[in-house]
Structures are given as C-alpha cells and as structure tokens.
Amino acid sequence: MKHLFTLLCFVFCVNFIYAQGTITGTVKDASTLAGIAGATVSVKGKVSATQTNEIGKFTISASPTDTLQVAYLGYTAQSVVVGNQTEITIFLESTDENIEEVVVVGYGTQRKVDLTGSIAQVKGEEIANMPNSNPISSLQGKVAGLTISNSGTPGGAPTVRIRGVNSTNNSNPLYVVDGVLHDNIDFISPQDIESMDVLKDPSSIAIYGLRGANGVIAVTLKKAARGQTNVTFSGSYGFNQVQDRISVTDAEGFKKLYDMERANNKEVPFDYTNYSANTNWQDLILKTAFNSNNNLSISNSGEKSSTHISLGYSKQDGVIRNGSYDRFTGRLNQEIIVSERIKVGGDLSGSYWKMNPTNVSVTNALWAAPVVDVMFDENTYNAMPSFQRAQVGNPIATLNRLDGKNLTRGYRFVGSLFAEIKILESLKWKSTVYTDLGFNNSRGYTPLPYNFMYFGEFGGANQLFYDDMQKTAVSQSSEEFRRFQQDHTLTFEETFNDDHRLSAVAGFTTVYNDNTSLRGSRRDTTNNVPDNPDLWYLNIINQQTNPDGSYSGGGAKNTLVGGFLRASYAYQNKYLLNATVRRDGSSKFAPKNRWGTFGSVGVGWVVSEEEFFSNVEKINFMKLRFAWGKIGNSNGIADNIYLPGLSNGNTAIFGDNVYTALQAAYIPDPNLHWEIVRGMDLGLEIKAFNNKLSTEINLYDRTTTDILTAVPLPNETRSYFTNLGKITNRGIEASMGWNNSFGDWKYGLNVNYSYNKNVVNSIGDNINFQILGNNGANRTETGHSIGYFYGFKQLGIYQTANEITSKPAWNNSLPGDIIFEDTNGDGIIDDNDRTYLGTPFPPHNFGANFTLGYKGFDLQIEGAGVAGNKIYAIRKTNTFAPLNYETNRLDAWTGPGTSNVEPIVDNSRGNNFKFSTYFLEPGDYFRLRTVQLGYNFGERLLGNSFIKKARVFVNAQNLKTWSKVTGYSPEAAISSIIAGGLDNGSYPVPSTYTFGVNLNF
C-alpha cells in the first residue's frame, strides 16, 4: 500500500509538470520572416499572457491541451494548439500592409495610420533595381509634391524641391540617414536602402527645427533580419545613350546661313576653298557609355546580436567622351542585446570616389563650324576658320589634350554609436553620437598645346601654328568637411484600458559643422613639367618662376543646439493628436537673436472606426487629418551672418605711400534672425473595395516670412542685410492606386499629381525692390512667382518698312526684326514693355506606375512629367562670334512673307537678341521613365542548390520623352532659385539600358 501511494504521487507530479510545461516560441511576419516585437501571446480561457521581445521570442506556461492565441495590430490573429510541442514558430499574415506600414518621423517611427501629417514612403526595392548611382534620382515621379530635375553628369546629384520654393536663399531638403543629418546622400549604395520617407508638411518636419524647413527625406538603411543569415548579391550592367541631338546645321546649311549673314552685313562671301568637310561635332564628342551597379551584403542575426555588412561598386561613364565616375562603398552595422533592457550598436559607412571630369562643354561642339575636319595629319589638328578661331577651339583637340589630366578623388566616412536602455516596459532612453567626415582633393595638369593648321583664306597660304607662349601648369585643391552630432532621447509608449495610446519623445541634440578648403595653381615661365602624375604638385614649380600663380583658401563653422518634445495620442484608434515643440539656437545669428521656439500640432479622425460607418460596405478605411506648424529656416545662410566681414574701401595717399582702407563687406541688421515658415495641411485618406483602391489627397498652404535678403543702399556699393519679404506656396497633391490579383496574375496602377502656386507676396516695404538673375531675364519681386522670366513678348516679324511705321517699334527697327508687344499701350517699344513671361519652376508634376505579375514574371512601367514651366534656351543668344546655327534658323526671314517667327540672320541686330518669348520654350514633358521586365526563379527551378532566391531583369530608363524643347533634356536646371530654368547646352540626360541579377544565398 505504501509503494502504491508513492507511485500515484509520482505519476501525479509528472502529469502536473507535463501539463504545466514551459513553452518557448517565436512570432514572425509571414512575408518577411522577421520577428514581430510586442505581439500578445495568451492561453485561451486562462489569464496567462505575455508579449514577444524585440526579436519576436516569447515564453509562456501551457499544457498540451491548451490553445495559444497570438494577436498584433495589423495582422490576422492566429490560434495554435500546443500538443506535444515545447518550441513553436507562429507566422502572422498582415491584414493591410499599406495601412499598417511604419514610417520615419523625427527621432522615431510611427504607424502610417496614426499620422496627422503628410509623409510618403518609397520602399527600398523600388530603388535598388534602378540604374542610378544616386538613389534620389529614382524617386522621380513616385511622390506627389516632389520635383526632381536630374543631371546627366557622371556622379551628378539631382536638384530636389519639396512643395515648391519657399526662400530666395536655399530650398534644398534635409536628408536624414538613420538619424544623421546630411546635405546629400551620394555616399549611399541604393541597394543598401530599406526605405525612404518624404516628410512634406510643417507638422512632420517641425521637430527638425532650423534645418528642416524645406522638407525632409529620411533614409532607413538595411539591418540584419532577426533570426536569419542572408547573403545577397545585386548587379546591373548596361549602357547609356543620348537619344536626341540638338539640331544644328550641316556644312551646306552653315554655308547658306553664314553667307546670308555676311550679305546682310554688306560683306563678301566667305572663301570655303580649304573648308570642304562636313563634320558633326556632336557625334564626335558623344558616345555610348558603360554603367554598372554592384552590391554584396552579408547579414546574420542571432538571439543576442545582429550584423549587416555590405560592399558596393558603381561605375558611370559619361556620354561625353572621357568623363567617368567610380564609387566604392562599404558599410558595417552591428547591434548587440546586452540584456533584456540594454542594447548597444553602431554603424560605419565609408565611400571612396574618383572622377575623370568632362574636358569639353557641349556648347563647344554646338558652336564649332561643321566645315572643318578634325585632323590635318596624324600630328596636327585643324583650327577653326578665322571668324571663330580666337573664340572656339577644336572640340576633339580639347578632349584629347586634357584627357586624364585631372585627378579628382574623395573620401567620406559616416559613423554612429548608440546605447539604448529600457528603463521600464514603456520607457526607453537612447543616446547616439554621430560623425560625418569628408575629404576631397584634386590635382591637375595643363600640358603643352598641340600643333594646329591655320588654313589659308581669300588666297592666303596655309600656316602651321604652335603657341610657344604657353607653358605647362599644375594645380592642387583640398577640401575637408566635418560634422559631429549627438542625440539623446527619452521615449514613452503605453496603452491604457485598450482605448488610450500615448507615445512621447523628449530629446536634446547638437550639431557642429566645420569645413576648410585650399586651392592653388602654378605656371612655370622657364621650364615645362613632364606629363607624369607623380609630379603634379605645386612645389614642382619654383615660386620665383611663377608670376601667374594663384592661391585661395576658406573655412567656416557653425553650431546648432536644440531641445524638443513630441507627443502622440490616439483614442480608440479613431481620434488622433500629435503635437511638437522645439527650441533651437544657431551660431549663425547674433547671441541676442539666435534662439527660437517652433512647434506644430496635428489632429486626425479615422472615420471608418466610427460605429455609423460600419454600414459602409465598400470603404475599408477613411481618415481626415489637419496639421499646422511653425518652423525656423537658416538653410543657405552664411555662417556668422550677423558679423559684417571685411572688404577693401577707399584708398588714401600719405606722402609716397598709398594705403587701402578696410570697411564692412555689408551692413547687417542688428535684429537679424532666421526666416520663419508657417504652414497648414489638410488631408484625406481612403481605402476601398477590400483595400484594392487607395487614395490620398492633400491641400497645403505654406508661407515664409522674414526672408534674409541683401538690399542695395542708395549712394553705397554695399548692401544692407536684413529680414524682409513674404512668399507663399499653395497647392494640392493627389495620389491614387489600384492593386489586385486573380489566380496567378497580379497587377497595380498608381498615379500621382501635384500642383503648386508660388507667389512672392512682398519684398519689404519698397514695392520697386527686385532681385535679378541672368542679366534681368529672371526677376523676383512682389506679385509674381519667385525667379520668374521677365522680358518681351514676340508678336511676329516686321515684313516691310511701312509696317514698322504703322506699329509700335524701336527707333532703330528694320524689316526682318522681331515685333514686340506694346504691353503698356504707349505706342512705342522700350524696356517698359517687358512683362511676366512664365516661371522656371514646374507648377504641375505627375507620375504613373503600372505593375503586372504572372507567376515568376513581373513587369513595371513608370512615367513622369511636368507642365506649366518655361525653359530659357540661352545657348541661342551668343553673338560673340559667328557660330554654327541651329536648324530653326534655316527658316529665317529673307524678305516680305518668308517668315513671321524667325528674324533675319544678322547678329548686328541687337534688338532681336533682347530676352523675349522667342528664346523661351515650353518645359512641359512626359517621359517613359522606366520599363522593366523581370523573372523570379521558383523553388522548383532552383532545386536543392545553395541559391535561395534568384531574379533576372532587363531595364530601360528614359526610353522616350514627349516634349517641345530643342535641347538635350526637358528637365529644367532649377538649382538656382533666382536664376533658374536655363539651357546653355546642359549635359545630356541619357537613356539607360541595363541587365541585372539579384541573388539570395
């Protein structure tokens, strides 16, 4: 009996222990296989419950007959019977990826559904397969309200504008890469990007204070996926081509027009006896250029640590001969979980680039007379004809002479270290220190000139010419950029009674910027430096034999200090409130004016969460939101702007000595302070038809006051630097998408459109004050858009002398001249008839993206365009010498009735070269931006190979452009705010064709 009792006790204890066993497990996202932190795991019918940790793991007590219930907002809940399992992996399916996606906000992240501001996200995979070395270029056409003008120059950065131009000084956005503030992100490999978030409204960007007023593009870099080891390789290889040439005359057309011009100037026809060539200089300097982008990444994540390593290499040859750009990138990201409450980590990125700059301009090839051949013999180049010999060189001679004679290099290192402490489950402290170091240097060499053949003209003899007055020269330059930043934040997140969600972040930040530069050049008057890069240093030339040497240097530094607080509150997931306050101090302004307080507030109403909305069957989600913000802006302002600097003043003579006085370079306003940007944003978001249709509409109104401006003073060569003026940007943004699937097919169509109206409301109290650009062709003044085009309107061509006397005209107008509109109606044409001619900044931007998938195949087609702006073809205004003609001049006026558009061919008629609509072209265009076809190899094809995933694709970018511009590209040069929209033979933006492969091991 005693032994039986002991046996029963043993069995009971075993059963009890087995029944109440400890279950461990992991909750993962079914699509990404990443661990889900914060998921709730409970035992059905019991009070036992827990949450997953940061890598998705959990531990809970349960018996074999129990059912585990797993729930996380944005995912379909799962129920799993324990059975005999002691370790369980549970996969959750996302209910709506778009609504539940997380976007970057200042110093943290937030669910998109909780946003009260305007933030658009572009996933990394939409950027990785594009052939652009700069990832910003790949955003073109993808985000409403984002204007991007690309550069075809190898390594060139695009110009970016978010919701227009809100200052005359600087309108570039702020780039934030994993918390580090940058002015550009050309050191990042596109394949290393997880996502890019475009923060557009003042409510979203207010937390960045004085740096963020022009909008923010936040970049999140890839990290190791939890619980996985991955090796991935991405590579693309292809070529670039210039699709469209600028149409210039051939030899026959040139002779016809040049003889016409000489006849109009009462000169004899030119002697073309020795000029029998028909050279297309554009074809000779342009080429098909190679490009490639490669990236290898290795990531590993365990329970306590994660590591991500990536290496990248990209090469871009220029479509103008001899230009090239190579970039190497490397990155190491490491995170270590010290304990359940402490995590540390760091990130180190480095890049090295080298450039062989383009040694000839496109305009040189446009100007050169086509009647000249390149070479006279293998050792002698042909010179241009006498009428342009001094002004225009042989483009191929210039290319060959300077090829490889400039060594330009750059290094950049960006690093960060952080420590994070979870004080409580809902309270977390994080401290991060960052550094951004850049070092650029170049060495150049000017070799001896070539031999040139000067052809005889009008019976003269040929002459072999060598310029023995030229000597070799060397140059050096060095630049250093240093930025040090620190952020300390305290974050609180808690849910109360399932109805109230509160998150708040308070923080302190400092940013220190410092840069220096040195430049010098020397030319020897006695000896020549050999063509050897090892000798291209300034000290190779004795200073005593260098009377023409030049040297310069500079430097600047500034500091920004800020404290901030942001709070976000949601009640029952339907009433949203976000508020931000930040106080900044900037060393750019005088001590009494350098501190300012900025802030924002946003509210949202998720209408679809209301009970009355439950009867609306077709609409799954609807949110209304409104936000207001006030931000300071110090972008584009010189360091220590409150200090006047020094310049030379009047001279004085004392005896035999002449002394130069010193004076302030400008006169600063003692109350000088930052510009102030205020803005409102009203948004509507809708998802309908089982989330297949998504729509977002934003209305915004943004006003900048106290614009920092230099005002000319009467009877003074110096300016008064002060705050004045007001600029508004008002607009609408709309995006719509339809995504669906049936059977093995899936497809999507997403379109976006934005309109921005820019108005300079005032420039101070003086209504006559103007800011001019391009010799007055661009003007900024009260009542019009910033930097607008200002000139004459062409009505036609004067056909006869009688027509000149019967219409308003210049007092020296002749038949064949342009008729300008008498805009003020005073009966004469003079400078008072100049008027508003349009804006260089596109008010309309639009884009479209179509995707189609069938089994392993995928197709993507993207389009982008702008409308409403003008482009100034300033390249057509040069009259410093007889130059080659663009083909439109073949239709020039030659007598009554011959043309009512093209004036007479006569460069001496100065009125025809006054800035007018004759030189303006519509900037409207639509471009077939991307066509990409890919194939994903499935498990059946890969079999048991070591390759987990594989994809191959072909891609064509800038395949076709519909536009009326006569230049290489309709993408207007808008980097200059007060002098934008020029086409002076801008570097071509080419079409790009690539083949690529993505492998995952």
Side-chain angles (χ1 to χ4, degrees), residues 536-557:
W536 298 349
Y537 296 95
L538 292 181
N539 64 355
I540 201 69
I541 296 178
N542 191 311
Q543 188 172 3
Q544 302 303 317
T545 62
N546 176 56
D548 298 325
S550 64
Y551 309 94
S552 64
K557 59 180 65 177

Side-chain angles (χ1 to χ4, degrees), residues 122-163:
V122 178
K123 297 293 186 181
E125 54 263 30
E126 298 182 54
I127 300 167
N129 294 329
M130 296 296 116
N132 306 301
S133 60
N134 192 309
I136 295 298
S137 297
S138 300
L139 293 179
Q140 189 178 47
K142 287 184 167 66
V143 177
L146 182 66
T147 302
I148 293 180
S149 179
N150 284 304
S151 167
T153 307
T159 301
V160 182
R161 299 287 180 257
I162 298 177
R163 290 186 171 179

